[in-house]
Every structure is written in structure tokens, then in C-alpha cells.
């Protein structure tokens, strides 16, 4: 059963946000890569919509952006810059930067229940408050390599780790 939602589509290359005010079956606040836990990017609408889409805003970011995720009226994206990786929270309606935080060589952010998670390629898992950007906790995993993106849900963070010989 579909409920009334606002479907959000973001283009990472230019961090543009397009909003369709149509009922969507997929929850836009999944916090996962490619819209849903299957990472297939599928959204099923209960009613069709017609183009053209209206571009609401664009935001130039200072480096290569990750795939964005959304939650609580924000868009979260990590940006690989010459100085390191920055995690940005942008207001979904305006594109204005709400907060940013430096993260250790992190991959794509994940959103769940008011928190933004990021797993670095060296295994540092960090959780941030989605509204303020305050670091809630950080935990270093063993010395494996960590692939991104991970998946979050029901307070759990899932990611793939690999190490030589394993």
C-alpha cells in the first residue's frame, strides 16, 4: 500500500535535487544506496507523473561527491576533496549547507532514525546526529578493507569487510 510521500531524486555529479509531489511506494528516507535495500533504484508510483521536472536547487561541492541519501528533510553526501573527505548535510528544500564534518577516508553516507553513518575504507564506523552533525560515536573495526556502501536499518549498520587471505 502506498502512502503520500515526496519522492526525492538527487544527481550526485551536480548535487541537484528534483522533487515530485506524487505518492510513492518507496520510502524516500531509506538511507540506502540506490533508494532501497536491494540497491536497484526502483521506485513504483501509484499514479503516473509528467515531465518536465522542476529543478529546485543546485549546490557546487568542493570535490567528488558520493551517492547522496536523504532523511529528515536533509540530503547527506560525502565529498572527497584534496584536503580529505567531508560529510555534508544539505537542506532538501533549499540546498543550503546545514552542517559539515570531516570524516576519515569515508565512503557514501547512510541514514537511519535520525542518525547518519559512514564507514571509512579502513574500518572506522562513525555515527552523526542528522540535524546537528554532532558525532555520536565512533568505533574502529579490525584492519580489514571495507567496501561501500553499507546498509542501515533498525539501528544496525551492515557493511562488507575483506582482508588478505580471507
Amino acid at each position: 500500500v502506498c502512502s503520500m510521500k515526496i519522492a526525492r531524486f538527487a544527481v550526485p555529479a551536480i548535487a541537484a535535487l528534483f522533487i515530485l509531489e506524487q505518492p510513492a511506494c518507496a520510502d524516500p528516507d531509506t538511507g540506502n544506496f540506490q533508494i532501497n535495500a536491494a540497491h536497484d533504484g526502483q521506485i513504483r508510483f501509484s499514479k503516473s507523473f509528467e515531465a518536465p521536472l522542476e529543478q529546485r536547487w543546485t549546490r557546487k561541492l568542493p570535490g567528488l561527491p558520493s551517492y547522496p541519501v536523504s532523511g529528515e528533510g536533509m540530503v547527506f553526501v560525502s565529498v572527497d576533496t584534496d584536503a580529505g573527505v567531508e560529510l555534508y548535510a544539505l537542506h532538501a528544500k533549499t540546498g543550503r549547507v546545514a552542517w559539515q564534518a570531516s570524516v576519515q577516508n569515508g565512503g557514501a553516507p547512510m541514514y537511519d532514525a535520525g542518525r547518519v553513518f559512514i564507514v571509512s575504507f579502513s574500518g572506522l564506523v562513525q555515527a552523526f546526529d542528522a540535524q546537528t552533525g554532532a558525532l555520536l560515536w565512533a568505533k574502529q573495526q579490525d584492519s580489514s578493507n571495507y567496501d561501500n556502501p553499507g546498509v542501515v536499518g533498525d539501528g544496525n549498520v551492515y557493511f562488507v569487510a575483506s582482508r588478505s587471505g580471507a
Side-chain angles (χ1 to χ4, degrees):
V1 175
C2 296
S3 60
M4 288 298 283
K5 298 284 185 180
I6 295 176
R8 295 176 188 99
F9 299 92
V11 178
I14 60 171
L17 181 69
F18 298 91
I19 299 179
L20 301 173
E21 295 186 17
Q22 295 286 332
C25 291
D27 183 355
D29 289 341
T30 61
N32 291 306
F33 181 70
Q34 287 283 3
I35 308 296
N36 60 26
H39 304 311
D40 62 11
Q42 297 296 312
I43 297 178
R44 291 171 186 77
F45 294 96
S46 61
K47 292 195 290 185
S48 65
F49 62 92
E50 294 183 22
L53 302 177
E54 178 186 330
Q55 181 174 316
R56 295 282 176 98
W57 55 265
T58 62
R59 168 65 57 191
K60 177 135 176 76
L61 299 169
L64 181 63
S66 69
Y67 191 92
V69 295
S70 64
E72 294 190 30
M74 307 279 244
V75 176
F76 305 100
V77 62
S78 60
V79 179
D80 191 359
T81 72
D82 291 337
V85 178
E86 293 287 320
L87 177 61
Y88 283 85
L90 308 172
H91 290 281
K93 289 186 178 184
T94 65
R96 186 177 56 82
V97 175
W99 55 264
Q100 74 183 74
S102 295
V103 294
Q104 182 190 65
N105 68 351
M110 300 165 281
Y111 171 82
D112 183 51
R115 295 170 295 176
V116 180
F117 301 90
I118 195 157
V119 179
S120 75
F121 300 117
S122 61
L124 178 64
V125 182
Q126 294 175 287
F128 296 88
D129 180 277
Q131 289 298 312
T132 67
L135 179 65
L136 301 173
W137 55 263
K139 175 136 176 72
Q140 179 66 52
Q141 305 301 307
D142 66 20
S143 61
S144 299
N145 293 319
Y146 292 82
D147 295 327
N148 278 289
V151 178
V152 294
D154 296 325
N156 296 304
V157 180
Y158 303 95
F159 48 89
V160 175
S162 61
R163 65 183 121 208
S164 179

